[in-house]
Amino acid sequence: MSATSRWHGAQHRIGLTGGIASGKSSVARYLQDLGIVVLDADRYAHEALKAGSQTSEAVLKRYGRQVEAVPDCDIEQSSGQRNINRRELGRIVFNNQDERRWLEQTIHPLVRARFELELAKHPETSTVVLMIPLLFEADLTELVSEIWVVHCLPAQQLERLKQRDALSTAEAEARINAQWPMNRKCEQADLLLDNCSAPILWERQIQTRLALINPSEELIP
């Protein structure tokens, strides 16, 4: 295992991470299909910015109308509450390191607290997956027993991100560069999941690893 601090409790906690658009969500869906509990940091971060929340209001106070969603945006509007235009917020924080740091310092403690809350709901579950894109950057490795890193080729990552989020090359590169380099994440991995080609490759890797973690448990086919 790598040298980062880890969880040493009885429950086996897998930290699923990797570069943006490397394929983490596909791996998470596969794990859920196998019957494994998956907790998602992105979901918690998204909920932290829901209309009317303290975090949402703090963001709106800091950036004003430039990040406020207008009624004709394709973003859900809540009655009497202002919504955040996440695309515009992304443009700000991915082009300004100080603003990105402020947003992360605001949201990361909430995400961590939510993980603690959700983990408390599964005290008897032998294996849980925590999908945390910023596992290293947010210094959350102590929440997990081992780390799985999903990786692909840099060119694949760039094209997947551009297509997924309808970004320009410059916008996509800014988001990629805001995270640890892929090779640095791979160096910290206990298991590298190869998503350069067919999913069957990483599916087999996962099946082999899970059989070692819980040899007495049968996976859902």
Side-chain angles (χ1 to χ4, degrees):
M1 288 198 177
S2 56
T4 53
S5 58
R6 300 296 179 84
W7 161 260
H8 295 292
Q11 185 177 64
H12 200 87
R13 300 178 179 178
I14 298 167
L16 177 62
T17 191
I20 187 172
S22 60
K24 298 180 295 298
S25 295
S26 296
V27 172
R29 284 192 295 270
Y30 177 72
L31 289 165
Q32 287 177 316
D33 289 342
L34 293 177
I36 296 173
V37 173
V38 177
L39 306 178
D40 183 359
D42 274 352
R43 176 186 170 189
Y44 304 151
H46 191 277
E47 290 175 354
L49 287 172
K50 67 181 179 180
S53 69
Q54 288 185 345
T55 307
S56 176
E57 291 303 313
V59 168
L60 288 166
K61 181 178 180 180
R62 187 174 183 88
Y63 302 118
R65 287 188 170 275
Q66 61 181 322
V67 299
E68 185 175 346
V70 294
D72 61 351
C73 280
D74 58 348
I75 299 176
E76 292 184 12
Q77 297 292 308
S78 298
S79 178
Q81 295 179 326
R82 298 182 299 168
N83 288 266
I84 291 175
N85 185 324
R86 297 167 192 270
R87 190 177 184 89
E88 290 303 319
L89 179 60
R91 286 199 177 104
I92 293 172
V93 301
F94 286 113
N95 286 286
N96 187 311
Q97 184 176 349
D98 290 336
E99 296 305 324
R100 186 172 70 251
R101 186 178 295 112
W102 175 85
L103 185 63
E104 290 174 349
Q105 289 175 346
T106 301
I107 292 180
H108 287 172
L110 301 176
V111 171
R112 185 189 183 95
R114 183 64 183 278
F115 269 123
E116 297 286 4
L117 179 64
E118 295 301 319
L119 285 166
K121 297 177 182 179
H122 301 278
E124 304 301 321
T125 303
S126 60
T127 300
V128 179
V129 171
L130 286 68
M131 184 166 68
I132 312 177
L134 300 181
L135 178 67
F136 302 112
E137 295 89 339
D139 195 22
L140 294 175
T141 58
E142 65 185 36
L143 291 179
V144 303
S145 310
E146 67 175 78
I147 296 171
W148 295 4
V149 173
V150 186
H151 71 99
C152 61
L153 297 173
Q156 292 175 315
Q157 182 186 21
L158 180 62
E159 288 306 312
R160 290 171 182 173
L161 181 55
K162 288 168 61 177
Q163 292 181 20
R164 188 191 74 183
D165 294 351
L167 300 173
S168 68
T169 297
E171 289 174 324
E173 288 177 340
R175 283 158 172 74
I176 291 171
N177 293 334
Q179 297 185 352
W180 278 25
M182 187 82 82
N183 61 350
R184 187 180 177 190
K185 294 189 176 190
C186 289
E187 289 171 356
Q188 298 291 331
D190 301 301
L191 179 65
L192 286 174
L193 297 175
D194 184 349
N195 193 31
C196 295
S197 53
I200 189 64
L201 296 177
W202 52 257
E203 289 175 2
R204 288 173 177 168
Q205 289 180 278
I206 288 173
Q207 290 170 5
T208 299
R209 181 58 189 156
L210 290 177
L212 292 173
I213 294 172
N214 293 310
S216 62
E217 293 188 12
E218 291 187 12
L219 300 177
I220 300 173

